[in-house]
Amino acid sequence: MENPSSALPQKRTVRLNINGKEEQLELAPWTSLLDALREHLHLTGTKKGCDHGQCGACTVLVDGKRINSCLTLAVMQEDKEITTIEGLAKDGELHPVQQAFIDHDAFQCGYCTPGQICSVIGLVNEGKAKTLDDIRDLMSGNICRCGAYTNIVKVVQEALERSSAA
Ligand code: FES
Ligand code: FES
């Protein structure tokens, strides 16, 4: 009888550019970007919530755009620039959006916060949010069980003001 494991695809080398650093991993082709980050690179700032694209806890930036890392395979992200929460602070200084989360007291337990922060940066890059309702709509993919939404909206407003002043 055929060994069922022999039917499984082999691992392959996947090269990922994470936070400006080239990483080479041996991954099964079905490994999600989220699992590659957390389980293989031990970048555990990116959180696993639903693992089904419904909560936004796993949001990272790929070429400046926000994506749910649980919904994409690591092999699909070769040759892209991936930024996780660990890559946002520069030279010991927090990213302005990280600082704004502190200034506006926008996190409580903090579990969803890395995904929210990446999502805010992605939202600013998209340039679509003009009104409060736009902000609420465009952040609606990021669920916060602690309900820190009001203060997160203040963060987004500050980030938008900062980008329009730049
Ligand atoms: S863990 Fe990816 S969206 Fe919930
Ligand atoms: S801060 Fe607790 S889940 Fe959002």
Side-chain angles (χ1 to χ4, degrees):
M1 190 175 141
E2 194 187 343
N3 176 357
S5 66
S6 67
L8 295 174
Q10 298 294 311
K11 286 189 177 181
R12 55 160 283 191
T13 303
V14 179
R15 278 182 313 282
L16 296 175
N17 180 338
I18 315 250
N19 300 328
K21 196 167 153 220
E22 188 84 13
E23 304 280 1
Q24 199 158 301
L25 300 171
E26 294 299 314
L27 296 178
W30 58 84
T31 306
S32 70
L33 177 59
L34 176 60
D35 284 343
L37 293 171
R38 287 183 57 87
E39 310 298 331
H40 296 266
L41 291 166
H42 309 296
L43 292 169
T44 52
T46 304
K47 296 296 187 284
K48 183 180 278 195
C50 62
D51 210 17
H52 285 88
Q54 292 168 352
C55 74
C58 66
T59 305
V60 298
L61 297 164
V62 174
D63 290 342
K65 297 198 174 99
R66 51 188 172 154
I67 66 163
N68 290 335
S69 59
C70 68
L71 286 188
T72 187
L73 300 177
V75 290
M76 294 162 67
Q77 303 306 331
E78 287 188 306
D79 306 320
K80 312 257 178 77
E81 284 192 16
I82 300 160
T83 306
T84 70
I85 193 75
E86 290 89 350
L88 292 179
K90 295 271 179 279
D91 302 324
E93 281 219 7
L94 293 178
H95 186 285
V97 173
Q98 290 176 302
Q99 187 60 51
F101 265 76
I102 294 170
D103 295 344
H104 292 287
D105 196 16
F107 54 81
Q108 293 178 42
C109 81
Y111 192 82
C112 71
T113 311
Q116 300 272 9
I117 289 172
C118 288
S119 203
V120 173
I121 295 169
L123 179 155
V124 171
N125 291 344
E126 288 158 17
K128 292 187 202 148
K130 306 288 178 221
T131 66
L132 266 182
D133 279 349
D134 292 344
I135 293 172
R136 292 191 186 109
D137 190 33
L138 292 166
M139 287 300 291
S140 64
N142 290 79
I143 309 294
C144 176
R145 278 174 292 179
C146 296
Y149 295 119
T150 310
N151 291 352
I152 292 171
V153 168
K154 289 184 198 152
V155 170
V156 179
Q157 286 176 304
E158 184 181 307
L160 288 170
E161 281 165 22
R162 185 182 275 270
S163 80
S164 63

